[in-house]
Every structure is written in C-alpha cells, then in structure tokens.
Amino acid sequence: MSLSSPHASPDVSAAIPPRRRLRLWPRQRPGWAVIVAAICLALIVIIAILAPWLAPHDPLGMSPADRLKPPSDTYWLGSDAYGRDLLSRVLYGARVSLIVGLGSALISVVVGLPLGILAGFFRSLDAVIMRVMDGLMAIPSVLLAIAIVSLISANLWTVMAAITIPEIPRIVRLVRSVVLSAREEPYVEAAVSLGSSLPTVMWRHLMPNTLAPLIVMSTYICASAILTEAILSFLGAGLGTETPTWGNIMAEGRTYFLIKPSLIFWPGIALSVCILSINLLGDAARDRLDPRLQKRGGAQ
Amino acid sequence: MFSYCLRRTLAAVPVMVVVALFVFLLLRLSPGDPAAIIAGDMATPEQLDRIRETLGLNQPLYIQFFNWAGELLRGDFGTSLMSNLPVTQLMAQRLEPTISLALLSIALSVVVAVPMGVIAAWKHGSLIDNAVMSLSVLGFSVPVFVTGYILIKIFSIDLGWLPVQGFRRVSQEGFGPFIQHAILPALMLSTIYIALIARMTRASMLDVLGEDFIRTAHAKGASEKRVLFKHALRNAGVPILEVIGTGFALMITGVVVTESVFNIPGLGRLTVDAILSRDYPVIQGLILVTSGVYVMINLAIDLSYALLDPRIRYQ
C-alpha cells in the first residue's frame, strides 16, 4: 500500500489549521508607496535622534541682526523673526512630534487595553465603562485637549496627557468589540471550564486577539496625536512658544506669512510627510493584519 | 418605529450627563485652586473671592454640581470672566459665521465626495480609483492649516482672486460677499471631510455593487447612471450618512483652526480667544454646546436610518 493512499493514514496535519501568527514582515513585496513611507519615517526618526549633531545652529539661539533672512549658506532655509535658524528649528521639531505621537499611542493602549478587556468580559462593568467612553467621545478631542492644557500649565507631560485622554475611547471600543466576539469561542469556554483563573483567561486567551487591530489602531492614534499637538501649538495652547515644535514655528510664521511664507511651509511639509507616512504604514499594516478593520475617523 | 426613536433618544441622555460631569470635574479636580487657575497669576485676593463666590466653590462638590447642572438646564452657562457678558450671549453672537461656514463646507464636501466615491467604486482598480484613494489619504494627512495657507498663497496672494482674510455675514451683506470670503475657508474645512466621505462612499458602494439586485437592474436594461445613483447609492446610503455624523467632530476641530487662520469671528475664534485669556466659563460652555450638538447630530442620523432602512427599526 503506497503512502499516498487516502486510506493509509489520514493526513492529520491538513485538518489542523496553521497557527495564526502576527506576521509583521510581509511575504510579498509591499507597494512602492509603503516603501517610500517607511523610508521617510525612518529618516524623520533619525533626524529626531541626531538633531543636536545635524542642526547647523542652536534652535533657540537668536541673532537680532539676522531677522527673516532668505535662504543662504549660513541659514539654508533662512531665519525666523528672531533670527533663529529655520532649518535647525524644523529638525528639532521632529523630536516633540515623535515623542508625543509615540507616547500617546503607547499610553492610550496601556490604559485602554485593560479597560476594553474588562468592559468586554464583565457585563456589569461594560455599561459603566462604555457610558463614560461615549461621553468622552462626544467631546471634540481638540477642545478637550485645549481645556485640559488651559487648566494645567503646559509641559511635555500635560500636553501628552491632554492629547491621549480623548484617544483612549477609540482603543477601549476596539478592544471591547474584539473581546465580545472572542469570549464566545470554544477555546475560551474550554479554558474557563478547565479552571483557568480569570486573569489567565483574559491575558492569555483574550488579549492576543486584540493585538493585530491594536497595532493598526495605535498607528492611527500616533498620527492623530502628532496632528493634535501641532494644532495645540499652532493655536497657542501647546508647549511654550520658544520650544521648537512644528506647530509653534507655524504659529510664529503666521504674522510674517505675506513676507516669508516658508516659515509656514517648511514645518508644514515636515508635518504632512510625517503624518502621511504613518497613515500609509498604518493602512499597510491593516491590510496585512486585519483586512476587516475599517478605517474609521482616520487621523483626525 | 416610535419605540425605536424613544430608545435612541433616551440613550443620548446618559452621554450628555457624562459630558457635563466631565466638564465639571475638569476644573474642580485639576491641581491647584480653581479660582486661582481661572484668575491667573496677577489676581488680587478680592478677585479670587469674587470668582469663588460666582462659581460657588465654597460648597461641597455634589451641591456645586447640582447647582451648576440646574443652571445649565435653565440655559444659564455662566458669565465670561473677560467681558462680563453671559456666555450664551457671547456664543449667540458668534453662531452665524460658524454655522454658515459649516453648512457651506458640508454641502461642498457631499457634492464633491459622493460622486468621487461612486466613480471610484464603479471604476474599481482603475487609475481614477487609485487617484481618488491617494487624494483621500492625502486629505487625511495634510493638516488643515497647511492646506489653508497653500490655498491662501495660491488664490489670494499669487492670483489675487480672493481676499486673504476676513468674513462677511450673509444676513448683513448678502450672498455674493459671503461666498467670496467663505469659499477658501470652506475649501480648507472640506478637505478632511471630502477624504472621509469619498472613502466611505467607495467602500459602501463596492459592497452594494456586488449584490444580486444590481445585476438584475443591469439585466432589465437600466442605464449605468441609473444603476449607480438610483439603485446602488440609495442602498449604500446608511454608512455614508453615518460618516457625515462622526465626521462632525473633525469639523469642529477644523472650525477652530480655520476661523483662526482666516480671522473669522465665529465660535472657533471665540474658543481660541477664551483659551488664550483662560476664560474658563466660556471654554466650558463651548465644550458643552459642541458636545451637545455632536450627540444631537448623531441622534438625528440614527433616527434617519430608520427611515432609510426599515430593517433597523426592528432590531
């Protein structure tokens, strides 16, 4: 009897579905837009880390004699109204944006994930947590952030907290919806009936289901947080005006827009490229990890 | 139908209570003396006392909340610390520019985005589809103020067609001057909305275009245009309507930034002025009103689903 006979030994391995794994590295080559986005983002990260060595001037160093100079050998992109080097300020601006973006994404996941699992698992907590989240979601995020910053003096931490709080409901809703469907699965029931403790069930059996959508959602939150930070700075409700953030540079550039539009356009381009890259990578991650996840709201 | 409407309406009440509670606690629980926060660094003890008195800060927290909520329900949003005018009056003065701008933007977005999404779905996978999708990613990612300044640079400064800043009220100066001043801000405000609606229209149309009744419509000889806009779009309507509602939050952010870029005396400018002068009663009122409008718009949209899609009524 040959081994290939269907009666000899049924191929058991075919019946067991391959283990679902998070696959971050794509099997086929991603599109060129994704590659360009990844390169841009990598560049921005490198610029943020190496800003002190890359910047030709001190981003805070004023020289009143060189106010609003056009691009030259000394000031590659020209200088602002206080004679500060625009290029150096834009390079340093990447730091605040990336810290705020990554920090908000991380904090909102750390806070939102447990809340979402609890809401999805316990009926009694669900009602309370979700009402609070609905209320938070009804407040426009920028207004909420503005109100928080206007009450507490603005520093990097308060700005980050103010931007993160309105984002948390998005994580909680997402995690809850995943947990709600996952907890009906037979393996969860099996784990419960085998006597696994509740924390074990939640952490080992429910939480991994949320990872793929969470990765996608946190990229959108990162982009959205960077945008909100820029808006806060632009409106004068963010970090102190001397701090080189892209929003602050643009806010100062408003006064001189008719004379020197590049004060708005360079940080604007940096900001747009940064957010665009993150959004494109988020879309790519979504297509790879979870095609069902619809992009709702996007980055602000 | 009636019970569905009633249930949905009642569900909006706890949301508003949470919003009110949050706005209330925001000031009371922030570190430091609320009166000192409101008054700023230069306040005299008498000013602090006056603020404590007007806000009732000397009473227990829950009594403060109920007093405050009661005043809200009677339509009293407090008094501005800067101008000493009632917050409701300040907001009423600023209402018209914002509403006219928002309506113009929504109209513009729907007129541009829905056909864009329909055509992208119809020519799925084509160059047009790719262009629409790329534009919509771009629309999401380029911050509103950057779009705004690009528009000002092109149309106001380089071409000189439109004014750089300012605003004319429809009610006072008529439609012509209003459009002339409002078209750039509306364009700026629409970009995200157009991106959002076009994306959702495309996705929703793609779902519907695969259905049997579309094939039937083709088979009975309905024209392409009729199939797309009559048969398909009508059935793809609910998600599109939903995204117009959820997108309202983006609209509010956009309004704040747009009005500040174009110097429009609307609610957005009022918000920025209130933040810069730490006029907390005004900020509070603005948050409550915008959240209320947001909840109401989404409620209205939920209710209109029931009209568009009879299946929803029986859920």
Side-chain angles (χ1 to χ4, degrees):
Chain A
M1 200 180 271
S2 73
L3 276 173
S4 61
S5 159
H7 304 288
S9 60
D11 190 0
V12 181
S13 66
I16 302 171
R19 200 168 158 233
R20 271 188 67 213
R21 289 252 266 343
L22 283 184
R23 196 175 243 294
L24 281 176
W25 196 251
R27 199 169 306 177
Q28 74 262 48
R29 246 168 65 92
W32 61 269
V34 179
I35 298 175
V36 172
I39 293 173
C40 285
L41 195 61
L43 272 178
I44 294 173
V45 172
I46 292 171
I47 287 173
I49 296 171
L50 298 181
W53 293 277
L54 290 174
H57 296 271
D58 177 7
L60 302 177
M62 305 185 191
S63 70
D66 294 333
R67 297 176 74 239
L68 297 168
K69 286 278 187 246
S72 64
D73 285 349
T74 352
Y75 303 114
W76 289 6
L77 298 181
S79 62
D80 71 3
Y82 298 92
R84 293 174 298 200
D85 179 36
L86 180 58
L87 176 64
S88 306
R89 285 180 72 75
V90 172
L91 293 181
Y92 268 89
R95 295 193 143 188
V96 172
S97 287
L98 285 184
I99 292 174
V100 167
L102 292 176
S104 295
L106 202 69
I107 299 171
S108 56
V109 169
V110 167
V111 178
L113 178 63
L115 282 175
I117 292 182
L118 290 176
F121 201 77
F122 297 108
R123 280 276 153 83
S124 49
L125 283 175
D126 188 28
V128 179
I129 293 177
M130 291 325 285
R131 286 301 80 72
V132 173
M133 292 302 143
D134 284 347
L136 265 184
M137 274 196 116
I139 306 176
S141 57
V142 167
L143 282 192
L144 183 54
I146 282 172
I148 297 174
V149 175
S150 69
L151 282 174
I152 313 162
S153 59
N155 59 47
L156 192 59
W157 291 106
T158 54
V159 167
M160 204 156 26
I163 293 171
T164 309
I165 291 172
E167 304 285 358
I168 291 172
R170 287 164 75 177
I171 296 278
V172 175
R173 280 194 165 189
L174 178 72
V175 171
R176 172 183 174 267
S177 69
V178 173
V179 169
L180 271 182
S181 60
R183 70 168 196 187
E184 306 297 335
E185 297 276 340
Y187 63 83
V188 176
E189 231 170 88
V192 172
S193 59
L194 284 172
S196 302
S197 69
L198 277 183
T200 312
V201 172
M202 286 190 240
W203 186 252
R204 287 212 43 189
H205 301 289
L206 291 175
M207 193 279 286
N209 288 295
T210 65
L211 280 184
L214 268 186
I215 289 172
V216 178
M217 182 59 101
S218 49
T219 61
Y220 294 145
I221 287 183
C222 178
S224 154
I226 290 176
L227 188 55
T228 312
E229 187 278 320
I231 290 175
L232 287 185
S233 297
F234 182 76
L235 294 176
L239 295 171
T241 46
E242 73 291 343
T243 320
T245 72
W246 291 334
N248 273 344
I249 305 171
M250 283 189 266
E252 281 170 19
R254 293 170 66 182
T255 326
Y256 307 99
F257 184 67
L258 293 176
I259 318 166
K260 196 170 161 51
S262 61
L263 281 178
I264 286 196
F265 287 136
W266 285 115
I269 290 169
L271 184 61
S272 309
V273 168
C274 182
I275 296 172
L276 186 61
S277 307
I278 297 174
N279 275 340
L280 283 174
L281 289 176
D283 282 354
R286 178 198 58 201
D287 294 343
R288 183 139 307 280
L289 295 171
D290 189 3
R292 287 159 304 165
L293 192 77
Q294 270 278 346
K295 180 168 181 173
R296 288 281 169 88
Q300 278 293 309
Chain B
M1 181 72 189
F2 177 74
S3 82
Y4 172 80
C5 292
L6 192 70
R7 256 185 301 140
R8 277 299 296 125
T9 313
L10 286 180
V13 175
V15 176
M16 279 320 292
V17 172
V18 171
V19 171
L21 200 60
F22 198 83
V23 169
F24 173 79
L25 288 178
L26 205 56
L27 178 63
R28 269 68 178 186
L29 295 187
S30 57
D33 177 9
I37 291 174
I38 288 174
D41 304 330
M42 310 293 279
T44 60
E46 293 81 55
Q47 279 174 318
L48 288 184
D49 277 340
R50 191 175 69 89
I51 291 168
R52 280 200 199 93
E53 192 61 41
T54 45
L55 289 176
L57 291 174
N58 303 322
Q59 288 162 317
L61 212 54
Y62 68 95
I63 294 186
Q64 284 183 43
F65 178 72
F66 284 115
N67 285 341
W68 178 73
E71 280 165 13
L72 286 185
L73 288 177
R74 285 194 296 272
D76 179 5
F77 283 68
T79 311
S80 159
L81 298 170
M82 289 299 135
S83 59
N84 267 325
L85 291 169
V87 174
T88 37
Q89 190 189 330
L90 280 176
M91 288 195 285
Q93 287 168 355
R94 306 294 193 100
L95 210 55
E96 191 202 318
T98 301
I99 289 187
S100 51
L101 187 61
L103 288 179
L104 185 64
S105 308
I106 291 178
L108 199 67
S109 316
V110 172
V111 167
V112 173
V114 171
M116 257 168 76
V118 171
I119 291 169
W122 178 41
K123 296 282 179 196
H124 177 51
S126 71
L127 201 67
I128 301 177
D129 183 23
N130 284 332
V132 168
M133 290 311 280
S134 313
L135 274 179
S136 98
V137 177
L138 210 62
F140 271 122
S141 306
V142 179
V144 267
F145 38 92
V146 178
T147 331
Y149 280 109
I150 293 173
L151 290 173
I152 293 180
K153 174 85 177 130
I154 297 174
F155 292 103
S156 304
I157 298 177
D158 292 348
L159 295 172
W161 289 353
L162 295 162
V164 177
Q165 277 189 331
F167 190 74
R168 301 284 179 273
R169 287 175 186 241
V170 196
S171 56
Q172 288 167 6
E173 308 196 27
F175 199 66
F178 163 72
I179 282 289
Q180 204 188 7
H181 284 85
I183 191 74
L184 280 189
L187 268 175
M188 169 179 170
L189 204 48
S190 317
T191 41
I192 294 185
Y193 233 37
I194 290 176
L196 197 69
I197 298 174
R199 222 183 157 109
M200 187 48 94
T201 309
R202 176 182 174 275
S204 180
M205 282 291 283
L206 276 181
D207 277 353
V208 173
L209 285 177
E211 301 269 347
D212 288 342
F213 66 85
I214 296 296
R215 206 180 42 212
T216 313
H218 277 300
K220 71 169 192 184
S223 73
E224 196 70 42
K225 210 170 102 191
R226 198 181 150 80
V227 173
L228 280 178
F229 285 94
K230 189 91 187 173
H231 294 261
L233 187 59
R234 208 190 140 104
N235 283 284
V238 169
I240 301 174
L241 210 60
E242 188 184 327
V243 84
I244 293 176
T246 46
F248 179 74
L250 301 179
M251 183 69 106
I252 291 169
T253 309
V255 162
V256 174
V257 179
T258 309
E259 292 188 351
S260 134
V261 167
F262 284 92
N263 211 358
I264 297 169
L267 290 173
R269 263 312 291 271
L270 184 63
T271 314
V272 177
D273 293 346
I275 306 156
L276 295 181
S277 57
R278 296 181 157 234
D279 197 341
Y280 199 75
V282 178
I283 300 179
Q284 224 172 30
L286 283 163
I287 292 182
L288 284 169
V289 167
T290 44
S291 311
V293 172
Y294 176 76
V295 169
M296 241 119 80
I297 285 184
N298 282 293
L299 175 65
I301 284 173
D302 268 7
L303 296 182
S304 62
Y305 284 174
L307 291 176
L308 268 180
D309 189 344
R311 282 169 299 183
I312 292 173
R313 284 174 228 163
Y314 300 107
Q315 270 171 19

